[in-house]
Amino acid sequence: MYRQVLDPLAGSLLWSALCASLPLLTMFVLLGVFRVRAQIAAVAALALALALAVLVWDMPVSQALSGAAEGGFYGLFPVLWILVNALWIYRLTEITGWFAVLRRSFRSVSTDQRVQGILIAFCFGALIEALAGFGAPVAITAVMLVAVGIAPLKAATVALVANTAPVAFGSMAVPLTTLAGVTGLPLDELGAMAGRQTPLIAVLIPLVLVFLLDGRRGVRESWPVAVVAGLAFGLAQFVSANYISVEVTDIIPGVVALAAVLGFLRVWQPVQSVQSVQPVQPVQPVQPVSGDESVREEPLPEEPAAGGALMAFAPYLIIVALFALTQFGPVKEWLGVHGLVRFTWPGLDVETATGQPAGAMTFKLEHLKAAGTILLVAGLLTTALYRIGPGRAAKAYGATLHQLRWTFVTVTSVLALAWVMNLSGQTVTLGTALARTGTAFALFSPVVGWLGVAVTGSDTSSNSLFGVLQVTAAHRTGLDPVLLAAANSTGGVLGKMLSPQNLAVAAASIGMAGSESVIFRKVLGWSLGMLAVFAVLVYLQSTPVLGWMTV
């Protein structure tokens, strides 16, 4: 049996925390400074985390390797299982020409790429996050943005930044229900508190997106539609989280924002329309580049001779319908019983520093209710709808796997790194060190959540990891436990855009595996900048200045 130690290095929590930060610093420096390929950076960070777990935290070698294997398997299922099937659906629509029809349909609403970015990445992406999560919104919206003609690297950046405000309530509020489960705090209170924080992020995100797409000119010329989208989403999110239901808090804002933008565009359009570039196909892998325009173009397939926008949107409507069906009472109950297998991962016997069994030892295999399985079913229905033969569909699936070959290495290595750091105690050491800052911890509380998501790529995992720590720190410092626990989830969403796992998903989605370091540098400043602003907000909410905002 291995029991975690918080201060293994010379009995000092500070030095131990600095030591625990080395794998993350190594990965981010390799990505951001030395522009190393993501798979190499991830493997290097994993090797360092394993060495620290064994040599500093005194974790048995067999358990460290077993933990890495568990994390790698989690990377395969459910994360890569989602990505493979999401991109397969895209490839099916692309090889049949229906994506060309979809592109034309989006352009019929607006030919302005800034408006298209808001509609696809922000509004439609929120709906996908509400139902699926786990990287699916980034994978789907990135290829849709490329399909309408937005440059691939720019599309990946926009998709990542857009996937922030809805994350805390994603997958029918799984992150918050998990947080309530591990902390014992009421779900309604956690949801209400999160609903008084994330809307402020939502209001800003559309403005950030138009800046990413067209700089200051984009903000100057298209701010009205960005403000409408942000306010509509933010207000609907606040009302849903506080007065309707935590579980549907992303669905309602996504629909409201989409309707508000479409309605607003009937009476307003940008004076100067920024046209998208000639569409390119992110089907075949291309070499990473340093700019948005230097990509290899592929010949576009012919559009179907007959059929309208409904057929072009059909795969995505099928996806939404299937995910909604899985939330229907009897279906959800049946999947909960028959679609989930729990088992203790072999070779692990770990206790936390408080003597409790480590939660990561239990693996949850959601083989039927997994988002990737639902996407697979959607893909099979798409093949039937588009009359694609089995051989052609299988060839498209094989091509998708080939495209993602290096992404498999990156994602499995990153998740193996997260599991090693979690099971050995390195991540908890980092969080505990920040929790020793007294009442100032309210300022660092979102940083802990951000750190958890940056490591694991999942707000749910971050809440599982740090939820109890946030509540414990709140009781020790006299702060509001609901505020700090919610801040762990809402602050965590800002780390999702630069998680190596999600960077790999974005790069693979645009057919540019290996360009993760380029995307990382594009989103790093936005992640850190919004985190700083959000940390100040949470700190003020812990004081009389904004204390009136708390539950």
Side-chain angles (χ1 to χ4, degrees), residues 130-202:
L131 297 168
F134 291 99
V138 173
I140 292 173
T141 60
V143 293
M144 293 179 75
L145 290 171
V146 173
V148 299
I150 295 175
L153 287 176
K154 189 177 290 185
T157 304
V158 168
L160 284 167
V161 174
N163 189 223
T164 50
V167 169
F169 297 94
S171 301
M172 304 301 289
V174 167
L176 288 173
T177 55
T178 300
L179 183 62
V182 299
T183 61
L185 296 174
L187 174 61
D188 291 342
E189 292 187 12
L190 289 172
M193 190 65 246
R196 303 178 190 196
Q197 295 172 334
T198 54
L200 300 176
I201 301 175

Side-chain angles (χ1 to χ4, degrees), residues 437-446 479 483-484 487 534-535 538-540 542:
T437 54
T439 55
F441 180 63
L443 187 67
F444 296 105
S445 178
L479 296 169
L483 171 64
L484 297 194
F534 192 73
V538 173
Y539 176 75
L540 293 177
S542 72

